[in-house]
């Protein structure tokens, strides 16, 4: 039995006339009669009795009409529920954010989800990019923003969707009294006492790769896998580092940390929206991914933004 056939059958029951039902349902009488005979043949029992004024359902026809109404009503309810599900996503979503994006992304992500999708529940996990990729591969997160950190992760495992790029900066204690030039050459940075994350962090790996190209060795005095800890060590005068401008943009560090743009060469990194290629996604997870894209695009569009479009 097909949905259309049940609808036509009920119309004939309602009007007691094949001609009236055909007019209402916009179907030719012969075609409607064929649909009724098809139902009767499929069920092996007459559904209507013919009389001078039209047709009336048999006892079997009345029983089928009862079930057909229930079936069609349930189908309508299912369609409505699925429409509502699409329009009003619900459930838990896990999102990973690197420390340098957390202050920019997380408040806006929570604001939009709370305001527009109140049935969703967010969990934010802050970590460097490499651990975030591990969480994604283990299905501990639905999606994450990560920076150029694909070591050990093939394109078959994860999708890396580029959203933006930014420049990395040389950050140093203001008390060290560096010159007022807005830029610093990469080779000069290698002479400084550096505090960097451990490998395979992208910044650490990129510094060592570029240094090897110049046949130089960076003076890494400490290794710390925490953006806030590195920032605090620099502000305390214990060394320099390489970080995005946003990591030290807070007024708290304005009179304690100096910032210079790195040149010759510049160091840029890509921000990716990353998620599993094989994991099935809920409507809520897809919604969260869309919101993350919107937030990053809005940040790119801001005047004097540190992020640039990759489109």
């Amino acid at each position: 039995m097909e949905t259309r056939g049940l609808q036509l059958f009920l119309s004939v029951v309602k009007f007691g006339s094949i001609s009236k039902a055909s007019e209402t349902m916009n179907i030719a009488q012969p075609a409607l009669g064929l649909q009724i005979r098809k139902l009767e043949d499929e069920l092996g029992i007459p559904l209507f009795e013919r009389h001078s004024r039209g047709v009336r359902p048999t006892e079997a026809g009345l029983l089928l009409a009862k079930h057909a109404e229930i079936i069609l009503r349930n189908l309508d309810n299912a369609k409505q529920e699925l429409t509502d599900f699409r329009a009003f996503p619900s459930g838990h979503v896990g999102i990973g954010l690197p420390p340098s994006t957390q202050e920019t992304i997380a408040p806006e992500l929570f604001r939009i989800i709370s305001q527009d999708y109140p049935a969703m529940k967010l969990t934010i996990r802050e970590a460097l990019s490499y651990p975030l990729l591990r969480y994604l591969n283990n299905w501990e997160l639905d999606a994450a923003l990560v920076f150029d950190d694909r070591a050990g992760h093939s394109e078959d495992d994860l999708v890396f969707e580029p959203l933006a790029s930014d420049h990395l900066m040389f950050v140093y204690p203001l008390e060290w009294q560096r010159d007022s030039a807005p830029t610093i050459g990469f080779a000069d940075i290698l002479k400084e006492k550096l505090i960097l994350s451990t490998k395979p962090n992208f910044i650490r790996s990129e510094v060592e790769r570029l240094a090897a190209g110049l046949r130089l060795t960076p003076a890494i005095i400490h290794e710390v896998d925490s953006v806030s800890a590195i920032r605090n060590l620099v502000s305390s005068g214990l060394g320099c580092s390489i970080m995005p401008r946003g990591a030290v943009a807070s007024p708290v560090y304005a009179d304690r940390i100096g910032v210079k743009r790195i040149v010759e060469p510049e160091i840029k990194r890509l921000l990716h929206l990353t998620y599993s290629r094989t994991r099935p996604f809920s409507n809520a997870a897809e919604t969260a991914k869309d919101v993350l894209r919107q937030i990053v695009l809005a940040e790119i569009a801001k005047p004097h933004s540190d992020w640039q479009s990759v489109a």
Side-chain angles (χ1 to χ4, degrees):
M1 288 183 286
E2 298 177 353
T3 301
R4 178 64 172 168
L6 292 178
Q7 291 170 334
L8 294 171
F9 165 75
L10 286 177
S11 181
V12 175
V13 172
K14 177 181 178 181
F15 291 106
S17 167
I18 288 180
S19 61
K20 288 183 180 179
S22 68
E23 184 178 342
T24 302
M25 298 299 289
N26 194 28
I27 182 174
Q29 287 189 45
L32 177 53
L34 183 62
Q35 286 286 340
I36 298 302
R37 287 194 297 275
K38 182 179 177 182
L39 266 178
E40 290 178 328
D41 291 343
E42 184 178 348
L43 295 171
I45 191 169
L47 299 174
F48 291 100
E49 296 174 347
R50 276 69 178 175
H51 57 82
S52 59
R53 294 185 303 277
V55 296
R56 59 173 170 263
T58 62
E59 189 173 348
L62 290 173
L63 181 60
L64 177 60
K66 174 184 175 181
H67 285 291
E69 288 176 351
I70 294 172
I71 291 169
L72 294 175
R73 185 166 60 248
N74 285 340
L75 281 173
D76 286 340
N77 290 339
K79 289 178 182 177
Q80 186 59 52
E81 286 184 15
L82 288 170
T83 299
D84 291 344
F85 175 77
R86 186 170 61 249
F88 304 102
S90 61
H92 177 265
V93 180
I95 299 296
L97 296 176
S100 59
T101 69
Q102 192 274 138
E103 292 181 7
T104 302
I105 300 295
E108 188 66 3
L109 180 60
F110 277 113
R111 185 191 69 77
I112 293 175
I113 296 299
S114 299
Q115 175 179 293
D116 297 341
Y117 308 100
M120 287 175 56
K121 178 183 178 183
L122 282 177
T123 294
I124 300 294
R125 181 174 290 188
E126 180 184 322
L128 297 175
S129 294
Y130 188 76
L132 289 178
L133 295 177
R134 185 172 67 250
Y135 300 147
L136 287 169
N137 269 330
N138 293 338
W139 289 15
E140 297 175 50
L141 293 173
D142 292 286
L145 294 179
V146 301
F147 287 104
D148 284 311
D149 212 339
R150 308 189 191 191
H153 299 274
S154 73
E155 295 290 339
D156 294 334
D157 301 326
L158 299 172
V159 176
F160 290 85
E161 181 182 323
L163 297 182
S165 66
D166 68 352
H167 293 272
L168 293 173
M169 316 297 286
F170 174 66
V171 296
Y172 60 95
L174 271 181
E175 65 184 46
W176 286 14
Q177 297 295 318
R178 291 294 185 269
D179 61 61
S180 59
T183 63
I184 182 172
F186 178 74
D188 292 326
I189 290 175
L190 300 180
K191 304 171 186 175
E192 302 285 350
K193 298 177 180 178
L194 295 175
I195 304 170
L196 298 176
S197 297
T198 59
K199 292 185 286 189
N201 171 266
F202 169 76
I203 295 177
R204 171 66 179 273
S205 299
E206 191 69 356
V207 168
E208 293 193 345
R209 183 185 72 81
L210 293 173
L214 297 174
R215 298 186 178 181
L216 296 173
T217 302
I220 300 171
I221 59 170
H222 299 299
E223 296 179 321
V224 183
D225 284 334
S226 166
V227 170
S228 60
I230 292 175
R231 185 172 53 201
N232 290 335
L233 290 171
V234 173
S235 68
S236 299
L238 298 176
C240 305
S241 192
I242 297 173
M243 309 177 81
R245 187 188 300 273
V248 292
S250 170
V252 173
Y253 301 100
D255 60 349
R256 296 158 58 187
I257 295 180
V259 178
K260 292 179 180 288
R261 184 163 174 165
I262 301 169
V263 295
E264 298 177 352
E266 293 182 333
I267 306 180
K268 296 180 70 173
R269 59 181 186 169
L270 281 176
L271 177 68
H272 297 89
L273 175 61
T274 308
Y275 44 92
S276 171
R277 191 179 297 278
T278 58
R279 178 176 183 170
F281 285 99
S282 66
N283 191 31
E286 292 289 357
T287 298
K289 286 158 59 180
D290 288 340
V291 173
L292 283 170
R293 293 185 188 99
Q294 295 169 20
I295 293 172
V296 173
L297 290 176
E299 286 297 319
I300 292 171
K302 288 181 178 179
H304 312 298
S305 173
D306 290 323
W307 292 354
Q308 297 85 44
S309 173
V310 294

